Short mmCIF file of all heavy atoms in Angstrom, two decimals:
data_model
loop_
_atom_site.label_atom_id
_atom_site.label_comp_id
_atom_site.label_asym_id
_atom_site.label_seq_id
_atom_site.Cartn_x
_atom_site.Cartn_y
_atom_site.Cartn_z
N ILE A 69 -36.24 23.44 -9.94
CA ILE A 69 -36.76 24.77 -9.74
C ILE A 69 -37.51 25.26 -11.01
O ILE A 69 -38.63 25.81 -10.90
CB ILE A 69 -35.61 25.78 -9.44
CG1 ILE A 69 -35.10 25.47 -8.05
CG2 ILE A 69 -36.06 27.20 -9.53
CD1 ILE A 69 -33.73 26.02 -7.78
N CYS A 70 -36.92 25.01 -12.19
CA CYS A 70 -37.48 25.61 -13.39
C CYS A 70 -38.71 24.85 -13.88
O CYS A 70 -39.57 25.41 -14.56
CB CYS A 70 -36.42 25.75 -14.46
SG CYS A 70 -35.09 26.90 -13.99
N TRP A 71 -38.81 23.60 -13.60
CA TRP A 71 -40.02 22.81 -13.90
C TRP A 71 -41.18 23.44 -13.10
O TRP A 71 -42.25 23.69 -13.69
CB TRP A 71 -39.79 21.38 -13.53
CG TRP A 71 -41.05 20.50 -13.79
CD1 TRP A 71 -42.15 20.44 -13.01
CD2 TRP A 71 -41.28 19.68 -14.95
NE1 TRP A 71 -43.04 19.58 -13.60
CE2 TRP A 71 -42.55 19.13 -14.77
CE3 TRP A 71 -40.53 19.38 -16.05
CZ2 TRP A 71 -43.09 18.20 -15.70
CZ3 TRP A 71 -41.06 18.47 -16.97
CH2 TRP A 71 -42.33 17.90 -16.79
N GLU A 72 -40.95 23.72 -11.85
CA GLU A 72 -42.00 24.29 -11.02
C GLU A 72 -42.39 25.69 -11.56
O GLU A 72 -43.57 26.05 -11.56
CB GLU A 72 -41.56 24.42 -9.59
CG GLU A 72 -41.33 23.10 -8.87
CD GLU A 72 -42.55 22.19 -8.92
OE1 GLU A 72 -43.67 22.67 -8.72
OE2 GLU A 72 -42.38 20.99 -9.16
N LYS A 73 -41.44 26.44 -12.04
CA LYS A 73 -41.73 27.80 -12.50
C LYS A 73 -42.41 27.81 -13.86
O LYS A 73 -43.20 28.70 -14.14
CB LYS A 73 -40.41 28.61 -12.63
CG LYS A 73 -39.82 29.07 -11.33
CD LYS A 73 -40.43 30.33 -10.82
CE LYS A 73 -39.82 30.76 -9.50
NZ LYS A 73 -40.72 31.60 -8.68
N CYS A 74 -42.05 26.88 -14.69
CA CYS A 74 -42.43 27.02 -16.12
C CYS A 74 -43.40 25.97 -16.67
O CYS A 74 -44.02 26.19 -17.68
CB CYS A 74 -41.19 26.99 -17.00
SG CYS A 74 -40.00 28.28 -16.62
N ILE A 75 -43.48 24.83 -16.01
CA ILE A 75 -44.30 23.75 -16.56
C ILE A 75 -45.54 23.55 -15.70
O ILE A 75 -45.45 23.20 -14.55
CB ILE A 75 -43.53 22.40 -16.59
CG1 ILE A 75 -42.17 22.55 -17.27
CG2 ILE A 75 -44.33 21.35 -17.29
CD1 ILE A 75 -42.20 22.78 -18.76
N GLY A 76 -46.69 23.79 -16.33
CA GLY A 76 -47.97 23.54 -15.61
C GLY A 76 -48.29 22.05 -15.83
O GLY A 76 -47.86 21.19 -15.15
N LYS A 77 -49.04 21.86 -16.90
CA LYS A 77 -49.39 20.47 -17.26
C LYS A 77 -48.59 20.12 -18.53
O LYS A 77 -48.61 20.90 -19.49
CB LYS A 77 -50.88 20.35 -17.52
CG LYS A 77 -51.32 18.90 -17.68
CD LYS A 77 -52.71 18.66 -17.07
CE LYS A 77 -53.08 17.20 -17.31
NZ LYS A 77 -54.34 16.84 -16.70
N PRO A 78 -47.87 19.02 -18.52
CA PRO A 78 -47.01 18.66 -19.68
C PRO A 78 -47.89 18.45 -20.94
O PRO A 78 -48.90 17.75 -20.89
CB PRO A 78 -46.36 17.40 -19.24
CG PRO A 78 -46.74 17.10 -17.88
CD PRO A 78 -47.81 18.02 -17.47
N GLY A 79 -47.46 19.10 -22.01
CA GLY A 79 -48.22 19.01 -23.28
C GLY A 79 -47.54 18.09 -24.24
O GLY A 79 -46.67 17.32 -23.89
N LYS A 80 -47.92 18.26 -25.54
CA LYS A 80 -47.38 17.42 -26.54
C LYS A 80 -45.95 17.79 -26.97
O LYS A 80 -45.21 17.04 -27.56
CB LYS A 80 -48.29 17.35 -27.78
CG LYS A 80 -49.63 16.74 -27.51
CD LYS A 80 -50.25 16.16 -28.82
CE LYS A 80 -51.70 15.88 -28.72
NZ LYS A 80 -52.23 15.29 -27.52
N LYS A 81 -45.64 19.07 -26.69
CA LYS A 81 -44.25 19.50 -26.94
C LYS A 81 -44.01 20.76 -26.09
O LYS A 81 -44.97 21.31 -25.52
CB LYS A 81 -44.03 19.75 -28.41
CG LYS A 81 -44.77 20.98 -28.94
CD LYS A 81 -44.50 21.23 -30.41
CE LYS A 81 -45.17 22.45 -30.97
NZ LYS A 81 -44.40 23.73 -30.75
N LEU A 82 -42.77 21.24 -26.04
CA LEU A 82 -42.46 22.49 -25.36
C LEU A 82 -42.75 23.66 -26.34
O LEU A 82 -42.07 23.73 -27.34
CB LEU A 82 -41.00 22.54 -24.91
CG LEU A 82 -40.55 21.52 -23.88
CD1 LEU A 82 -39.05 21.79 -23.53
CD2 LEU A 82 -41.36 21.58 -22.61
N ASP A 83 -43.69 24.51 -25.99
CA ASP A 83 -43.96 25.64 -26.90
C ASP A 83 -42.91 26.77 -26.67
O ASP A 83 -42.11 26.70 -25.74
CB ASP A 83 -45.38 26.13 -26.75
CG ASP A 83 -45.65 26.66 -25.38
OD1 ASP A 83 -44.77 27.26 -24.75
OD2 ASP A 83 -46.84 26.53 -24.92
N ARG A 84 -43.00 27.78 -27.52
CA ARG A 84 -42.03 28.85 -27.49
C ARG A 84 -41.91 29.54 -26.10
O ARG A 84 -40.83 29.81 -25.61
CB ARG A 84 -42.37 29.95 -28.51
CG ARG A 84 -42.12 29.57 -29.96
CD ARG A 84 -40.64 29.73 -30.38
NE ARG A 84 -40.38 28.89 -31.53
CZ ARG A 84 -40.64 29.19 -32.80
NH1 ARG A 84 -41.16 30.36 -33.08
NH2 ARG A 84 -40.37 28.39 -33.80
N ASN A 85 -43.10 29.85 -25.55
CA ASN A 85 -43.11 30.52 -24.27
C ASN A 85 -42.44 29.68 -23.17
O ASN A 85 -41.70 30.24 -22.35
CB ASN A 85 -44.59 30.82 -23.84
CG ASN A 85 -45.19 31.93 -24.61
OD1 ASN A 85 -44.47 32.71 -25.24
ND2 ASN A 85 -46.53 31.95 -24.70
N THR A 86 -42.75 28.40 -23.21
CA THR A 86 -42.20 27.53 -22.16
C THR A 86 -40.67 27.44 -22.32
O THR A 86 -39.93 27.52 -21.30
CB THR A 86 -42.78 26.11 -22.26
OG1 THR A 86 -44.19 26.23 -22.29
CG2 THR A 86 -42.34 25.28 -21.13
N GLU A 87 -40.22 27.35 -23.55
CA GLU A 87 -38.77 27.30 -23.77
C GLU A 87 -38.10 28.61 -23.28
O GLU A 87 -37.07 28.54 -22.62
CB GLU A 87 -38.45 27.10 -25.25
CG GLU A 87 -38.64 25.70 -25.72
CD GLU A 87 -38.01 25.46 -27.11
OE1 GLU A 87 -37.39 26.40 -27.67
OE2 GLU A 87 -38.22 24.37 -27.64
N ALA A 88 -38.72 29.73 -23.60
CA ALA A 88 -38.18 31.02 -23.12
C ALA A 88 -38.15 31.08 -21.59
O ALA A 88 -37.14 31.49 -21.00
CB ALA A 88 -39.00 32.18 -23.71
N CYS A 89 -39.20 30.62 -21.02
CA CYS A 89 -39.27 30.61 -19.52
C CYS A 89 -38.17 29.77 -18.96
O CYS A 89 -37.50 30.20 -17.98
CB CYS A 89 -40.65 30.05 -19.08
SG CYS A 89 -40.83 29.95 -17.28
N LEU A 90 -37.97 28.60 -19.48
CA LEU A 90 -36.89 27.70 -18.95
C LEU A 90 -35.54 28.35 -19.11
O LEU A 90 -34.71 28.33 -18.19
CB LEU A 90 -36.96 26.37 -19.68
CG LEU A 90 -38.21 25.50 -19.34
CD1 LEU A 90 -38.29 24.35 -20.35
CD2 LEU A 90 -38.05 24.92 -17.93
N LYS A 91 -35.26 28.90 -20.32
CA LYS A 91 -33.92 29.55 -20.51
C LYS A 91 -33.72 30.71 -19.54
O LYS A 91 -32.66 30.82 -18.86
CB LYS A 91 -33.81 30.08 -21.95
CG LYS A 91 -33.58 29.02 -22.95
CD LYS A 91 -33.32 29.66 -24.33
CE LYS A 91 -33.41 28.62 -25.45
NZ LYS A 91 -33.51 29.23 -26.78
N ASN A 92 -34.73 31.57 -19.41
CA ASN A 92 -34.69 32.69 -18.50
C ASN A 92 -34.51 32.20 -17.06
O ASN A 92 -33.73 32.84 -16.29
CB ASN A 92 -35.94 33.54 -18.59
CG ASN A 92 -35.99 34.36 -19.89
OD1 ASN A 92 -34.91 34.63 -20.46
ND2 ASN A 92 -37.15 34.74 -20.31
N CYS A 93 -35.21 31.15 -16.75
CA CYS A 93 -35.15 30.62 -15.40
C CYS A 93 -33.69 30.26 -15.00
O CYS A 93 -33.18 30.69 -13.93
CB CYS A 93 -36.05 29.41 -15.25
SG CYS A 93 -35.95 28.56 -13.68
N VAL A 94 -33.01 29.52 -15.88
CA VAL A 94 -31.64 29.14 -15.57
C VAL A 94 -30.75 30.35 -15.45
O VAL A 94 -30.00 30.47 -14.47
CB VAL A 94 -31.08 28.21 -16.69
CG1 VAL A 94 -29.64 27.90 -16.51
CG2 VAL A 94 -31.88 26.91 -16.75
N ASP A 95 -30.82 31.27 -16.39
CA ASP A 95 -29.98 32.45 -16.37
C ASP A 95 -30.28 33.32 -15.19
O ASP A 95 -29.33 33.85 -14.50
CB ASP A 95 -30.11 33.25 -17.68
CG ASP A 95 -29.25 32.71 -18.78
OD1 ASP A 95 -28.10 32.35 -18.50
OD2 ASP A 95 -29.70 32.62 -19.92
N ARG A 96 -31.52 33.57 -14.87
CA ARG A 96 -31.88 34.43 -13.72
C ARG A 96 -31.51 33.76 -12.36
O ARG A 96 -31.06 34.44 -11.42
CB ARG A 96 -33.33 34.72 -13.69
CG ARG A 96 -33.89 35.60 -14.87
CD ARG A 96 -33.19 36.94 -15.12
NE ARG A 96 -31.86 36.86 -15.68
CZ ARG A 96 -31.56 36.56 -16.92
NH1 ARG A 96 -32.53 36.28 -17.76
NH2 ARG A 96 -30.32 36.52 -17.31
N PHE A 97 -31.58 32.46 -12.33
CA PHE A 97 -31.18 31.81 -11.12
C PHE A 97 -29.67 31.96 -10.87
O PHE A 97 -29.22 32.23 -9.74
CB PHE A 97 -31.55 30.28 -11.13
CG PHE A 97 -31.28 29.59 -9.85
CD1 PHE A 97 -32.20 29.58 -8.83
CD2 PHE A 97 -30.06 28.94 -9.63
CE1 PHE A 97 -31.94 28.96 -7.64
CE2 PHE A 97 -29.84 28.30 -8.43
CZ PHE A 97 -30.73 28.29 -7.42
N ILE A 98 -28.92 31.83 -11.96
CA ILE A 98 -27.46 32.04 -11.89
C ILE A 98 -27.17 33.51 -11.48
O ILE A 98 -26.32 33.74 -10.63
CB ILE A 98 -26.77 31.68 -13.20
CG1 ILE A 98 -26.87 30.18 -13.41
CG2 ILE A 98 -25.34 32.15 -13.20
CD1 ILE A 98 -26.37 29.68 -14.77
N ASP A 99 -27.86 34.43 -12.11
CA ASP A 99 -27.68 35.86 -11.74
C ASP A 99 -27.96 36.06 -10.26
O ASP A 99 -27.19 36.78 -9.56
CB ASP A 99 -28.63 36.73 -12.55
CG ASP A 99 -28.29 36.81 -14.03
OD1 ASP A 99 -27.08 36.44 -14.35
OD2 ASP A 99 -29.11 37.18 -14.85
N THR A 100 -29.01 35.44 -9.78
CA THR A 100 -29.39 35.57 -8.38
C THR A 100 -28.29 35.06 -7.47
O THR A 100 -27.92 35.70 -6.51
CB THR A 100 -30.70 34.79 -8.11
OG1 THR A 100 -31.72 35.23 -8.96
CG2 THR A 100 -31.12 34.95 -6.65
N SER A 101 -27.73 33.88 -7.85
CA SER A 101 -26.65 33.30 -7.06
C SER A 101 -25.44 34.19 -7.01
O SER A 101 -24.87 34.38 -5.93
CB SER A 101 -26.26 31.95 -7.61
OG SER A 101 -27.35 31.07 -7.63
N LEU A 102 -25.11 34.75 -8.14
CA LEU A 102 -23.95 35.63 -8.22
C LEU A 102 -24.13 36.88 -7.38
O LEU A 102 -23.25 37.32 -6.64
CB LEU A 102 -23.67 36.03 -9.67
CG LEU A 102 -23.07 34.93 -10.57
CD1 LEU A 102 -23.02 35.39 -12.02
CD2 LEU A 102 -21.69 34.57 -10.09
N LEU A 103 -25.35 37.43 -7.49
CA LEU A 103 -25.62 38.67 -6.73
C LEU A 103 -25.56 38.38 -5.21
O LEU A 103 -25.03 39.18 -4.46
CB LEU A 103 -27.01 39.20 -7.13
CG LEU A 103 -27.42 40.55 -6.53
CD1 LEU A 103 -26.37 41.64 -6.85
CD2 LEU A 103 -28.78 40.99 -7.00
N ILE A 104 -26.18 37.27 -4.84
CA ILE A 104 -26.20 36.92 -3.42
C ILE A 104 -24.76 36.73 -2.95
O ILE A 104 -24.41 37.21 -1.82
CB ILE A 104 -27.05 35.67 -3.16
CG1 ILE A 104 -28.54 36.01 -3.31
CG2 ILE A 104 -26.75 35.11 -1.79
CD1 ILE A 104 -29.44 34.88 -3.16
N ALA A 105 -23.94 36.08 -3.70
CA ALA A 105 -22.54 35.85 -3.29
C ALA A 105 -21.83 37.18 -3.11
O ALA A 105 -21.07 37.37 -2.18
CB ALA A 105 -21.83 35.02 -4.35
N GLN A 106 -22.14 38.05 -4.03
CA GLN A 106 -21.50 39.40 -3.97
C GLN A 106 -21.90 40.15 -2.72
O GLN A 106 -21.09 40.64 -1.96
CB GLN A 106 -21.95 40.17 -5.20
CG GLN A 106 -21.05 41.31 -5.63
CD GLN A 106 -21.61 41.94 -6.89
OE1 GLN A 106 -22.77 42.38 -6.97
NE2 GLN A 106 -20.79 42.05 -7.91
N ARG A 107 -23.23 40.24 -2.47
CA ARG A 107 -23.76 40.95 -1.33
C ARG A 107 -23.25 40.36 -0.02
O ARG A 107 -22.90 41.05 0.93
CB ARG A 107 -25.29 40.96 -1.34
CG ARG A 107 -25.93 41.64 -2.51
CD ARG A 107 -25.76 43.14 -2.38
NE ARG A 107 -26.52 43.71 -1.26
CZ ARG A 107 -26.64 45.01 -1.03
NH1 ARG A 107 -25.95 45.86 -1.81
NH2 ARG A 107 -27.33 45.44 -0.03
N PHE A 108 -23.22 39.05 0.01
CA PHE A 108 -22.80 38.34 1.20
C PHE A 108 -21.38 38.64 1.51
O PHE A 108 -20.99 38.90 2.68
CB PHE A 108 -23.02 36.86 1.03
CG PHE A 108 -22.82 36.02 2.25
CD1 PHE A 108 -23.77 36.03 3.26
CD2 PHE A 108 -21.67 35.28 2.46
CE1 PHE A 108 -23.59 35.31 4.41
CE2 PHE A 108 -21.48 34.56 3.59
CZ PHE A 108 -22.43 34.56 4.59
N THR A 109 -20.55 38.63 0.49
CA THR A 109 -19.11 38.97 0.63
C THR A 109 -18.94 40.37 1.19
O THR A 109 -18.20 40.60 2.16
CB THR A 109 -18.40 38.89 -0.72
OG1 THR A 109 -18.57 37.58 -1.29
CG2 THR A 109 -16.90 39.15 -0.53
N GLN A 110 -19.69 41.33 0.59
CA GLN A 110 -19.61 42.73 1.08
C GLN A 110 -20.03 42.77 2.56
O GLN A 110 -19.39 43.50 3.34
CB GLN A 110 -20.54 43.63 0.25
CG GLN A 110 -20.03 43.88 -1.16
CD GLN A 110 -21.12 44.57 -2.02
OE1 GLN A 110 -22.24 44.77 -1.57
NE2 GLN A 110 -20.73 44.87 -3.22
N MET A 111 -21.11 42.11 2.87
CA MET A 111 -21.61 42.10 4.21
C MET A 111 -20.57 41.63 5.21
O MET A 111 -20.34 42.25 6.24
CB MET A 111 -22.87 41.24 4.28
CG MET A 111 -23.70 41.40 5.53
SD MET A 111 -25.11 40.29 5.46
CE MET A 111 -24.33 38.74 6.00
N VAL A 112 -19.97 40.49 4.88
CA VAL A 112 -18.90 39.89 5.75
C VAL A 112 -17.73 40.84 5.91
O VAL A 112 -17.23 41.05 6.98
CB VAL A 112 -18.46 38.53 5.20
CG1 VAL A 112 -17.24 38.06 5.91
CG2 VAL A 112 -19.57 37.51 5.28
N GLN A 113 -17.35 41.51 4.76
CA GLN A 113 -16.22 42.42 4.81
C GLN A 113 -16.52 43.60 5.72
O GLN A 113 -15.68 44.04 6.51
CB GLN A 113 -15.84 42.90 3.40
CG GLN A 113 -15.07 41.83 2.63
CD GLN A 113 -14.92 42.21 1.16
OE1 GLN A 113 -15.59 43.10 0.70
NE2 GLN A 113 -14.03 41.53 0.52
N LYS A 114 -17.74 44.15 5.52
CA LYS A 114 -18.16 45.27 6.37
C LYS A 114 -18.09 44.93 7.84
O LYS A 114 -17.65 45.64 8.70
CB LYS A 114 -19.57 45.71 5.98
CG LYS A 114 -19.66 47.13 5.51
CD LYS A 114 -21.07 47.54 5.22
CE LYS A 114 -21.30 47.92 3.77
NZ LYS A 114 -22.71 48.07 3.39
#
Side-chain angles (χ1 to χ4, degrees):
Chain A
I69 291 164
C70 297
W71 180 279
E72 293 305 318
K73 285 278 180 204
C74 300
I75 310 288
K77 188 144 180 177
K80 294 207 197 319
K81 68 178 183 87
L82 296 182
D83 62 34
R84 288 278 158 84
N85 287 339
T86 309
E87 283 193 5
C89 179
L90 289 165
K91 283 186 196 165
N92 287 335
C93 176
V94 174
D95 276 319
R96 295 304 72 73
F97 186 86
I98 292 172
D99 290 343
T100 304
S101 300
L102 287 172
L103 185 56
I104 288 177
Q106 203 177 54
R107 296 290 291 184
F108 189 76
T109 305
Q110 288 170 357
M111 194 182 81
V112 169
Q113 284 171 344
K114 240 185 241 170

